[in-house]
C-alpha cells in the first residue's frame, strides 16, 4: 500500500495543530518553549482528495508551512518504531539518531528553523534527497525542509546535520520517522 507522511511546522509562541483531517494519525510532535514547533502525521492512502486542512491555533504573528510525502509500497505496519525528535538553538539543525528495526527502511526527516526576520534554506546531509525546502511569513518566518534516504542495514542513523543559511544560532525542531518497506509477492 501507500502511506502519506505530513510534516507541519510553525513559528510563534503558543501556536499548535489542534486537529487533523479524517484518517490522519499524529506520530510525533516537537514543541519548543520559544519557537518553532513541528508535527508529523501519517495516513494510509486510499482515494485521496488532493488537499487537506488541519486545525491551527495561536495568537499574534504565527506562520505555518508544511508538505506531504507519498510513500509507495510500504509494509502493512508502515511506521518502524516510535519517531524521534530534537530541538535546540544552533546555526545548523541537528536531528536525533534513530535505530531501525528492519532492513531497508525509508528515513524521513522534517526540519524547521525560525528567525525574527529572515527565511532560511537548507542543504541536507550527504546521501539524502531533499524533497522540499519552503518558508512562510515575513515576521517570524518559518522555514521547513524534508529529506529522505533508504537505510539498508538495521542500525542507528546517527545524528544528521542540515546546513542552514542562518548566519546566527536560532531555534530549530526536527522529527525523524522510518517507514518499513513492503514485501512483494509474485504469483506464478
Amino acid at each position: 500500500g501507500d502511506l502519506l507522511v505530513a510534516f507541519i511546522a510553525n513559528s510563534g509562541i503558543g501556536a499548535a495543530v489542534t486537529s487533523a483531517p479524517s484518517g490522519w494519525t499524529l506520530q510525533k510532535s516537537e514543541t519548543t518553549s520559544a519557537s518553532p514547533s513541528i508535527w508529523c502525521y501519517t495516513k494510509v492512502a486510499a482515494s485521496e482528495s488532493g488537499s487537506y486542512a488541519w486545525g491551527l491555533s495561536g495568537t499574534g504573528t504565527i506562520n505555518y508551512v508544511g508538505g506531504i510525502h507519498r510513500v509507495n509500497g510500504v509494509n502493512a505496519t508502515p511506521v518502524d518504531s516510535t519517531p524521534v525528535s530534537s530541538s535546540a538553538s544552533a546555526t545548523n539543525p541537528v536531528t536525533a539518531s534513530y535505530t531501525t528495526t528492519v532492513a531497508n527502511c525509508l528515513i524521513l526527516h522534517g526540519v524547521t528553523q525560525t528567525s525574527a526576520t529572515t527565511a532560511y534554506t537548507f542543504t541536507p546531509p550527504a546521501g539524502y534527497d531533499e524533497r522540499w525546502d519552503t518558508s512562510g511569513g515575513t515576521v517570524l518566518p518559518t522555514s521547513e525542509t524534508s529529506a529522505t534516504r533508504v537505510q539498508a542495514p538495521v542500525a542507528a542513523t546517527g545524528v544528521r546535520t542540515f546546513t542552514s543559511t542562518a548566519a546566527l544560532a536560532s531555534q530549530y525542531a526536527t522529527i525523524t520517522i522510518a517507514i518499513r518497506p513492503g514485501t512483494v509477492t509474485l504469483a506464478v
Side-chain angles (χ1 to χ4, degrees), residues 129-158:
D129 295 317
E130 186 173 66
R131 301 302 178 180
W132 66 76
D133 195 335
T134 188
S135 62
T138 55
V139 176
L140 290 177
T142 301
S143 302
E144 182 187 67
T145 189
S146 186
T148 64
R149 77 174 175 96
V150 172
Q151 179 162 310
V154 174
T157 62

Side-chain angles (χ1 to χ4, degrees), residues 90-118:
T91 304
N92 295 315
V94 178
T95 67
S97 182
Y98 182 96
T99 301
T100 58
T101 64
V102 299
N104 298 312
C105 281
L106 178 66
I107 306 297
L108 295 93
H109 295 289
V111 176
T112 183
Q113 194 170 25
T114 298
S115 160
T117 59
T118 305

Side-chain angles (χ1 to χ4, degrees), residues 25 31 49 116 150 172:
T25 301
T31 56
S49 67
V150 172
Y172 70 83

Side-chain angles (χ1 to χ4, degrees), residues 2-185:
D2 293 351
L3 183 73
L4 303 178
V5 180
F7 289 109
I8 302 166
N10 77 318
S11 62
I13 298 170
V17 174
T18 57
S19 64
S22 177
W24 287 86
T25 301
L26 177 64
Q27 294 294 332
K28 186 76 172 172
S29 64
E30 180 69 12
T31 56
T32 63
S33 60
S35 178
S37 297
I38 190 168
W39 294 263
C40 177
Y41 286 86
T42 59
K43 180 183 191 298
V44 175
S47 176
E48 301 307 315
S49 67
S51 65
Y52 301 96
W54 273 261
L56 310 171
S57 70
T59 58
T61 301
I62 298 175
N63 299 297
Y64 286 90
V65 295
I68 298 174
H69 295 275
R70 185 178 189 113
V71 184
N72 299 315
V74 299
N75 189 289
T77 307
V79 177
D80 183 57
S81 191
T82 303
V84 296
S85 60
S86 67
S87 60
S89 180
T91 304
N92 295 315
V94 178
T95 67
S97 182
Y98 182 96
T99 301
T100 58
T101 64
V102 299
N104 298 312
C105 281
L106 178 66
I107 306 297
L108 295 93
H109 295 289
V111 176
T112 183
Q113 194 170 25
T114 298
S115 160
T117 59
T118 305
Y120 301 132
T121 59
F122 303 92
T123 302
Y128 281 81
D129 295 317
E130 186 173 66
R131 301 302 178 180
W132 66 76
D133 195 335
T134 188
S135 62
T138 55
V139 176
L140 290 177
T142 301
S143 302
E144 182 187 67
T145 189
S146 186
T148 64
R149 77 174 175 96
V150 172
Q151 179 162 310
V154 174
T157 62
V159 297
R160 299 292 180 216
T161 301
F162 281 72
T163 304
S164 170
T165 56
L168 302 170
S170 59
Q171 292 291 319
Y172 70 83
T174 75
I175 293 177
T176 301
I177 186 171
I179 306 302
R180 294 177 177 170
T183 53
V184 177
T185 304

